[in-house]
Amino acid sequence: MITKIKKIFVPLLIVIGLALSLSKEQFDEPLFWLDTSLSKAVPEQQAKLSSFKMMPVPTKAVHSATSVELRNGNLLAMWYGGSREGHVDVALYSAEFNTSKQVWSEPKKVLDRYNAANDLNRYIKKIGNPVLIKHPQGPLVLVYVSVSLAGWATSQLNMALSYDDGQTWHASKRLVTSPFINISTLVKNDGVIYQDGTIGITAYHELLGEFSEMVRVTLDGEMVEKYRMTRGKNTIQPTLIVKNEKEAFALMRDSSRSIQRAHYADTQDGGKTWGEFEALDVQNSNSAVFIFNDKKLRSWMVYNDQTRDMEHSRNNLVLAVSNDEGKTWKNVYYFENKELNQDLAEKFAYPWVEPTTNGEYHLFYTWSRKEIKHTVFNDAWLETLL
Amino acid sequence: MTSIFSLFGHGIFLLALILFIVQAKRWGKYWPLAYVLAAIMVVLPVKDWLVIEFSRGYFSDLSMTTIIMCSVYIMNVAGARRLTSSNELKYSVLALATVLYPLTLGLSMLDPYALGFSSHSFYPLMVSSLAVIAFVAWYFSVWQLALVLSLTLLANGLSVYESNNLWNYLIDPIAVIMCLVSLIYGHIGSVSKKFINKINDKVQSDV
């Protein structure tokens, strides 16, 4: 009887399995979607540079801010906060910036590890970096890191959607991105949208190898594909500038322990394959960098400049400009510690810049892990730095 | 739905693990008691979670290889059939892991894991190759390997887990560890058996 089952049942399973596997949905080759709303002309502006503190922050420690522009022109920011990084009480918080009144709303808790565990039907030890992506079809996409096993190197990615501009969030979905018990995929920087509506999450891997990759998912949280950007042990937290539907370049944080420089890589095929990455002449102290374009398609970068103080390398935050699509950079303005006279123990890290349709740029960064600082500037101000 | 399949897999894994830890094989006619105890432990609440939820949190969804190997062990304990995991399956898993894991952990720009997504240009080739290997294994009566591969194709085709990648249905580190431990244990067992037989022969010839 068992032999008969083996003889008939197993080949039948193979044929059905093969047919089902071959009939799975296939997606087109990746082509970047270009957000034209940001390149529209805006009325003549006065140079503007102003700062806001997102206070009161309800937790002792905060880190890793992210932001998107809402449909009403306001900004939604999100970050994680708790007793300290990696503590079990860490939760994601959000607040809304009213651009007409220039005030922040009270921060509110978005989700904690228990909410994530309920959605995902499993144990969650802690949660971390959130990234917000505005999808052209309407919803806001939240991608965030969670850990069940050990440290950050065992992180996993989750995704949730909001159809009411961040007021409520649908249940989180787990993204399976690795064959190694699905561990070690993290996020920090902005994602991209593809022309077929799929999302390119700029992710990175931290277990044994430390490298960058693009994780392509549908709006439903189904994995489409994964594209490796770098290899090896020292290029994480990619940040992207899309030039056209096929071309983009990325800068990455150097996570090595030797001489640390920001790394550069580019793609000619929508991020499917990436050229050999190279170290730039930008000394960066194993800390996050963020790049963005202005309306004249000049590239700008916010980062920690290591050349000023090797020992206290996150004790400054600088804006640099590139006129050759990210190959060479020139420092033009220090957002923090301009005169190099502040308390050296202070750290300014994890920048995020959100360009808005009114021609402004909203910079967020962690201010000594105590608060998220918010600085606004515009194209006219950027022009003054050139 | 994916949670049900995943938790079912973790149930089998935990059952096998607990039966192994309590050495249920040595319980003789009381083996059903070991089964009941193990089944209760799988759903015990610890703090705010069940043991099975911890398992899913730590190890993610389990591959068909792990589930089949654990199932074989559970049946082996029950003694209904003297089943053991086949060496062909174990060596195949180890060979695959030797190539897959170093490359996915960043050894080069080549990421074999990406081949497991249905949008990858090599995906049809990979799926077809697995089917061919499964048929060859079936033809030569390597049943466990054939069963693992056929269930992998079926589970992947039906997307029974959260994963959309063929590799996650085929292999995971737990399967690799089980294969490695089982082969080493088997090797030590056969060497010690030969050694004991040699001593016995010597003693008998001396007598």
Side-chain angles (χ1 to χ4, degrees):
Chain A
M1 177 68 181
I2 288 175
T3 313
K4 268 187 180 174
I5 290 173
K6 280 177 178 174
K7 295 238 175 198
I8 301 163
F9 188 61
V10 172
L12 198 64
L13 277 184
I14 297 169
V15 172
I16 296 171
L18 177 65
L20 288 170
S21 289
L22 287 175
S23 64
K24 285 181 92 168
E25 189 177 7
Q26 294 194 321
F27 287 80
D28 294 335
E29 295 289 292
L31 290 173
F32 293 121
W33 173 77
L34 300 166
D35 189 355
T36 49
S37 66
L38 294 173
S39 54
K40 281 179 188 158
V42 291
E44 192 81 8
Q45 298 170 320
Q46 295 284 315
K48 175 183 177 181
L49 175 69
S50 50
S51 288
F52 305 87
K53 283 184 181 176
M54 290 167 59
M55 294 293 280
V57 175
T59 54
K60 196 175 163 189
V62 293
H63 197 34
S64 193
T66 171
S67 175
V68 283
E69 184 183 18
L70 303 177
R71 280 170 286 201
N72 62 6
N74 288 350
L75 280 166
L76 181 77
M78 196 177 285
W79 65 92
Y80 75 77
S83 305
R84 59 177 166 76
E85 179 180 333
H87 196 270
V88 291
D89 67 3
V90 165
L92 299 185
Y93 292 87
S94 73
E96 192 173 326
F97 183 66
N98 187 318
T99 43
S100 51
K101 293 179 182 169
Q102 300 281 292
V103 288
W104 279 98
S105 69
E106 284 290 314
K108 68 173 186 184
K109 189 152 107 176
V110 177
L111 64 89
D112 58 20
R113 69 179 186 131
Y114 292 103
N115 304 127
N118 273 338
D119 290 349
L120 302 167
N121 285 316
R122 76 200 72 196
Y123 165 69
I124 300 290
K125 185 180 165 190
K126 60 185 178 184
I127 55 176
N129 295 357
V131 163
L132 287 171
I133 301 165
K134 188 178 170 181
H135 198 280
Q137 287 170 15
L140 298 183
V141 180
L142 165 64
V143 182
Y144 66 95
V145 161
S146 72
V147 171
S148 296
L149 196 58
W152 291 125
T154 63
S155 292
Q156 296 163 318
L157 290 188
N158 311 290
M159 182 173 148
L161 297 181
S162 171
Y163 286 89
D164 55 7
D165 277 355
Q167 298 302 310
T168 57
W169 291 90
H170 287 221
S172 301
K173 282 191 81 171
R174 168 59 51 89
L175 303 179
V176 182
T177 56
S178 146
F180 204 81
I181 54 173
N182 190 30
I183 56 171
S184 203
T185 310
L186 300 90
V187 283
K188 150 65 183 88
N189 285 328
D190 198 8
V192 294
I193 305 291
Y194 291 106
Q195 289 183 8
D196 60 2
T198 55
I199 303 158
I201 300 166
T202 53
Y204 58 103
H205 181 103
E206 273 197 352
L207 182 73
L208 299 177
E210 295 183 358
F211 53 88
S212 294
E213 51 195 11
M214 296 280 289
V215 172
R216 188 177 171 199
V217 295
T218 66
L219 201 51
D220 296 330
E222 298 293 328
M223 284 286 297
V224 173
E225 219 177 311
K226 209 169 80 154
Y227 308 121
R228 186 161 292 184
M229 298 171 72
T230 61
R231 63 182 154 73
K233 294 184 75 82
N234 54 12
T235 48
I236 61 170
Q237 297 180 345
T239 169
L240 246 71
I241 286 181
V242 173
K243 294 193 272 185
N244 54 48
E245 63 176 21
K246 286 194 167 181
E247 291 179 289
F249 69 89
L251 258 59
M252 286 148 284
R253 164 181 171 177
D254 184 337
S255 59
S256 68
R257 305 289 175 265
S258 55
I259 298 167
Q260 294 156 341
R261 295 173 188 277
H263 285 76
Y264 171 97
D266 57 13
T267 176
Q268 314 287 327
D269 56 6
K272 192 176 173 186
T273 58
W274 290 78
E276 183 66 23
F277 62 96
E278 56 183 288
L280 296 177
D281 190 19
V282 175
Q283 290 200 26
N284 169 242
S285 54
N286 190 1
S287 57
V289 304
F290 196 100
I291 54 175
F292 61 99
N293 262 0
D294 65 13
K295 287 197 186 303
K296 291 186 177 169
L297 300 181
R298 282 179 296 245
S299 305
W300 300 82
M301 169 170 61
V302 182
Y303 77 109
N304 298 111
D305 174 18
Q306 196 181 19
T307 56
R308 304 185 81 214
D309 183 353
M310 299 290 276
E311 198 179 339
H312 305 93
S313 52
R314 289 192 184 184
N315 190 241
N316 66 75
L317 195 72
V318 63
L319 179 68
V321 64
S322 170
N323 289 308
D324 57 1
E325 298 184 331
K327 288 288 180 74
T328 58
W329 295 88
K330 181 186 161 200
N331 292 348
V332 289
Y333 184 80
Y334 282 84
F335 289 109
E336 291 289 350
N337 216 355
K338 192 173 184 179
E339 306 298 329
L340 206 62
N341 57 1
Q342 285 184 10
D343 181 358
L344 292 176
E346 302 290 6
K347 288 180 179 174
F348 316 105
Y350 272 49
W352 177 287
V353 179
E354 185 62 24
T356 53
T357 44
N358 65 353
E360 290 183 339
Y361 303 85
H362 296 257
L363 165 66
F364 299 86
Y365 54 94
T366 308
W367 201 91
S368 280
R369 300 279 174 135
K370 292 174 200 152
E371 58 195 61
I372 303 296
K373 195 164 175 183
H374 170 210
T375 297
V376 187
F377 50 89
N378 60 10
D379 275 308
W381 180 75
L382 289 176
E383 290 287 342
T384 65
L385 302 174
L386 296 170
Chain B
M1 197 65 182
T2 56
S3 291
I4 293 170
F5 282 110
S6 175
L7 291 171
F8 175 73
H10 280 278
I12 290 173
F13 165 65
L14 288 172
L15 200 64
L17 183 68
I18 296 166
L19 291 175
F20 174 74
I21 291 168
V22 302
Q23 285 296 297
K25 273 184 186 178
R26 298 174 199 272
W27 287 34
K29 63 178 181 179
Y30 299 109
W31 65 264
L33 187 63
Y35 268 60
V36 173
L37 281 176
I40 292 169
M41 286 171 78
V42 166
V43 289
L44 271 184
V46 180
K47 290 187 178 175
D48 300 305
W49 286 276
L50 305 178
V51 169
I52 199 168
E53 289 178 307
F54 275 101
S55 178
R56 193 180 184 208
Y58 289 148
F59 303 121
S60 206
D61 297 340
L62 300 172
S63 68
M64 295 302 126
T65 309
T66 298
I67 291 172
I68 292 293
M69 287 184 77
C70 289
S71 303
V72 165
Y73 183 77
I74 290 168
M75 285 192 274
N76 183 296
V77 170
R81 277 177 63 86
R82 301 306 296 171
L83 270 174
T84 51
S85 295
S86 78
N87 279 351
E88 291 88 347
L89 177 64
K90 291 173 199 168
Y91 284 118
S92 305
V93 168
L94 290 180
L96 200 57
T98 310
V99 177
L100 178 68
Y101 289 138
L103 290 172
T104 52
L105 291 172
L107 193 65
S108 79
M109 285 294 273
L110 177 69
D111 182 10
Y113 181 68
L115 306 179
F117 290 114
S118 57
S119 294
H120 197 284
S121 49
F122 284 168
Y123 172 80
L125 184 66
M126 187 170 151
V127 170
S128 307
S129 304
L130 275 193
V132 169
I133 296 168
F135 269 119
V136 170
W138 168 77
Y139 183 79
F140 287 105
S141 302
V142 187
W143 299 113
Q144 284 182 24
L145 183 59
L147 186 64
V148 163
L149 293 176
S150 56
L151 287 179
T152 296
L153 289 169
L154 191 67
N156 173 61
L158 293 170
S159 296
V160 298
Y161 290 156
E162 291 161 335
S163 175
N164 245 348
N165 191 299
L166 183 69
W167 289 109
N168 294 107
Y169 294 94
L170 181 60
I171 188 172
D172 62 47
I174 294 173
V176 177
I177 291 166
M178 285 197 300
C179 291
L180 204 59
V181 170
S182 173
L183 283 171
I184 292 169
Y185 187 75
H187 190 66
I188 290 170
S190 65
V191 168
S192 58
K193 207 173 179 181
K194 272 183 196 167
F195 184 69
I196 290 165
N197 287 343
K198 232 178 197 177
I199 290 173
N200 283 343
D201 291 346
K202 197 164 187 281
V203 169
Q204 277 176 7
S205 63
D206 286 349
V207 169

